């Protein structure tokens, strides 16, 4: 087994406001190998980084992401809800993150959030940006919307994709292969030994989320390809102790 990689979930979201540039920079500073982020589209079809379909929880605004233009959305404060020290942090565009990430060696897991609100064409928009910043070999696109993964694969079979799922599926690597996906991003409780062993045998990478507790990090370090965690700093320390 290769070294288990550490992806910072929504950036270093344990210590910083999720899905903001400050959370991504913190992940890099913490020694994470990659970041995970969530992408949606504004009313004028700008890909932006935010987890929920509404801005209510993580900004000082109200309403659906899809109903904001980017000019309107960028005025919202996406940091103050987490801690006053982060007041003024903005919702980043995917393009801003790619521009920042390109000169680093970070891996990037782009989660397409198009299950609850559908964003037709989001796959093509995201792929164009990946190409523009020449980071294709460092990107994994994941989604709970598996039709979207098939569309990514149709548009560019060279881009790595991963199936997101919450359930205890039987031999999910067979399912992933059937839709042309290259990895399994499963909810932590379903990352059971049978899944880890079977996927390893099938050469299908497994990257469980969200691996935050010390004992879970210890159990999975050296046992899967990557973990997705809110606490990259802690995970990096535990990984050093485990090697
Ligand atoms: O991509 C892993 C994880 O982010 C999936 O769930 O809801 O945190 O986006 P969620
Ligand atoms: Mg996510």
């Amino acid at each position: 087994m290769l070294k288990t990689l550490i992806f910072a979930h929504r950036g270093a979201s344990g210590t910083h406001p999720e899905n903001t540039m400050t959370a991504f920079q913190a992940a890099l500073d913490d020694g994470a190998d990659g970041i995970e982020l969530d992408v949606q589209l504004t009313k004028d079809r700008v890909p932006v980084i935010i987890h929920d379909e509404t801005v209510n929880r993580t900004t000082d605004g109200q309403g659906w992401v899809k109903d904001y233009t980017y000019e309107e959305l960028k005025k919202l404060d996406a940091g103050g809800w987490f801690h006053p020290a982060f007041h003024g942090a903005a919702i980043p565009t995917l393009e801003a993150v790619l521009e920042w990430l390109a000169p680093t060696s970070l891996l990037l897991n782009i989660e397409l959030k198009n299950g609850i609100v559908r964003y037709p064409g989001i796959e093509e928009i995201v792929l164009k940006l990946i190409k523009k910043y020449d980071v294709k070999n460092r990107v994994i696109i994941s989604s709970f919307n598996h039709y979207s993964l098939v569309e990514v694969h149709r548009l560019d079979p060279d881009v790595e994709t991963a199936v997101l799922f919450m359930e205890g599926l039987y031999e999910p690597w067979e399912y992933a292969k059937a839709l042309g996906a290259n990895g399994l991003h499963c909810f932590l409780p379903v990352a059971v030994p049978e899944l880890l062993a079977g996927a390893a045998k099938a050469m299908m990478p497994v990257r469980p989320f969200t691996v935050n507790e010390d004992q879970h990090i210890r159990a999975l370090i050296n046992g899967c390809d990557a973990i997705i965690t809110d606490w990259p700093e802690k995970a990096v320390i535990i990984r050093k102790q485990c090697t």
Side-chain angles (χ1 to χ4, degrees):
M1 175 72 65
L2 293 172
K3 174 171 110 169
T4 298
L5 300 178
I6 293 165
F7 280 78
H9 181 239
R10 313 180 195 173
S13 60
T15 51
H16 291 69
E18 64 183 56
N19 281 328
T20 61
M21 291 307 298
T22 184
F24 302 140
Q25 182 64 50
L28 179 64
D29 297 343
D30 288 346
D33 304 289
I35 57 171
E36 185 265 3
L37 50 75
D38 306 291
V39 176
Q40 304 194 47
L41 295 184
T42 61
K43 191 176 175 180
D44 47 346
R45 297 177 69 70
V46 176
V48 288
I49 311 306
I50 183 166
H51 177 272
D52 298 2
E53 287 73 21
T54 72
V55 299
N56 303 1
R57 180 178 62 87
T58 57
T59 77
D60 56 350
Q62 289 285 314
W64 298 91
V65 174
K66 68 175 177 58
D67 292 336
Y68 279 82
T69 63
Y70 177 61
E71 279 306 304
E72 292 162 350
L73 198 77
K74 76 177 191 190
K75 295 186 188 120
L76 300 180
D77 172 17
W81 69 276
F82 186 84
H83 189 278
F86 298 108
H87 176 79
I91 296 173
T93 59
L94 176 61
E95 177 145 24
V97 176
L98 289 170
E99 195 176 359
W100 166 82
L101 181 132
T104 74
S105 56
L106 280 175
L107 303 169
L108 177 60
N109 175 198
I110 298 175
E111 181 186 346
L112 301 179
K113 276 280 181 231
N114 57 349
I116 296 172
V117 171
R118 300 299 286 264
Y119 299 106
I122 191 172
E123 301 86 2
E124 194 170 3
I125 292 171
V126 167
L127 286 173
K128 266 191 193 148
L129 280 173
I130 291 168
K131 197 169 172 204
K132 178 173 173 187
Y133 288 92
D134 197 20
V135 290
K136 192 155 99 171
N137 57 356
R138 286 194 273 149
V139 165
I140 304 160
I141 297 184
S142 62
S143 186
F144 287 106
N145 181 340
H146 302 168
Y147 290 98
S148 205
L149 297 178
V150 171
E151 178 63 1
V152 168
H153 188 65
R154 188 187 71 78
L155 290 166
D156 189 342
D158 296 335
V159 171
E160 203 171 319
T161 58
V163 174
L164 270 167
F165 60 100
M166 306 283 290
E167 307 76 17
L169 303 178
Y170 180 71
E171 300 191 346
W173 53 90
E174 296 294 348
Y175 173 75
K177 273 190 221 162
L179 54 98
N182 315 94
L184 300 171
H185 290 192
C186 61
F187 187 39
L188 171 62
V190 305
V192 293
E194 294 89 334
L195 181 146
L196 296 172
K201 206 170 161 201
M203 311 270 279
M204 177 72 67
V206 181
R207 307 180 189 96
F209 66 91
T210 310
V211 188
N212 287 342
E213 303 295 330
D214 291 28
Q215 77 266 26
H216 293 142
I217 297 171
R218 281 183 204 287
L220 284 169
I221 286 287
N222 302 327
C224 61
D225 299 81
I227 58 168
I228 302 173
T229 178
D230 295 342
W231 301 93
E233 186 179 12
K234 176 171 78 172
V236 167
I237 292 168
I238 292 175
R239 182 173 62 185
K240 273 196 197 122
Q241 293 166 352
C242 293
T243 46

